[in-house]
Amino acid sequence: MEHRYLMKLPIFMVFLITWSCKNNADNIPDKKAPISVQVAEVQQHDIKEYLTFNGVTQFQKKENIRSNVTGYVSWMKYKIGDAIRTGQTFATVRTKEQDALKEAVKIDSSLSRFVKPQSIQSNATGVITVLNVTKNDYLAEGDILATVVQPKSLVIQVNVPYEYEDYVSVGSECEIVLQNEKSIPAKITGTLPTIDPVAQSQSFLIALPNLDLPENLNVQVRMVYREDQKAMAVPKAAVQTNELLTEFWVLKLTHDSIAIKHPIIPMLKNDSLVQIHSVGLQLGDKVVTEGGYQMQDSTIVSVKKP
């Protein structure tokens, strides 16, 4: 009898241990910690999409100062960047004949009027950008001594692919963006009636008579391509997509703690916002902007405080 009791005792102990472990396992909560995210509201914005083209500054009006006599430069004070006006003396030149008369003047002073250097006057008003001579240089008649540009003739030449010819025309408003990120509002003022045979682009001109910019400066010219002044938009960071870029969605916050996946159709875009079309979203809804990458539908989340 005693022996049979001792044989049953281990079986009873195993049952108690098994029951105790099961009971403890049932007491462990089966909940995942919420994922911390940041959110933003769906809002209405004026969104513009731009066409961006490359442009370069040019001076349309340039004049060359030429020599009208053969000889040596006896005087010249100008340097590159100096301003000059029409009629001003650019340089004086002494001829070989005048050098030969120097000895004769010692004998006959009346010949002194013939040894005075001859003046070369500027035929243009502007700024000297090219200077080809210095003092004592030899000149031949017809040589180009300098090039003068008129700052008021400054234009930007922008090349526009012909496929966009319906969007660009004389009078179209545009925005010039300089390399220092300064933006200048302007308008298309002219066009060249030729097409580049290789690039198939047409050149348009933007006159900038009141700006002080150097020639050959590369700039960007932006023009409004499409616009919606009442676009329902979300931050770019809120939009997610698959690898093939065929499906797009956002994670909408519901009950302040659950992220629900909503399909969307992206439309206009700018640097920070995307216009969206979605049946399941409306203005004021909150969407996940940070922490939602590869998040599953109906995930429990907690919103970070700003």
Side-chain angles (χ1 to χ4, degrees), residues 107-165:
I107 301 173
D108 185 357
S109 60
S110 63
L111 298 175
S112 59
R113 66 181 183 274
F114 297 110
V115 297
K116 183 179 179 180
Q118 299 188 35
S119 297
I120 298 176
Q121 296 181 333
S122 173
N123 58 329
T125 297
V127 176
I128 297 174
T129 58
V130 178
L131 195 60
N132 298 324
V133 294
T134 59
K135 187 176 179 181
N136 295 323
D137 281 355
Y138 177 78
L139 307 178
E141 187 175 354
D143 283 353
I144 296 176
L145 309 183
T147 300
V148 178
V149 301
Q150 297 184 18
K152 294 293 183 181
S153 68
L154 179 69
V155 299
I156 290 178
Q157 180 173 320
V158 54
N159 297 319
V160 178
Y162 193 72
E163 61 187 287
Y164 297 115
E165 57 114 6

Side-chain angles (χ1 to χ4, degrees), residues 215-234:
E215 192 172 26
N216 298 321
L217 176 67
N218 292 325
V219 301
Q220 286 190 328
V221 179
R222 300 199 312 172
M223 307 186 68
V224 175
Y225 179 39
R226 295 181 295 182
E227 180 180 11
D228 191 335
Q229 296 181 348
K230 297 181 179 180
M232 185 171 73
V234 297

Side-chain angles (χ1 to χ4, degrees), residues 15-33:
F15 173 79
L16 285 178
I17 293 171
T18 304
W19 178 82
S20 177
C21 291
K22 182 179 183 303
N23 196 35
N24 289 337
D26 290 342
N27 291 332
I28 296 175
D30 190 22
K31 290 184 178 180
K32 294 182 179 180

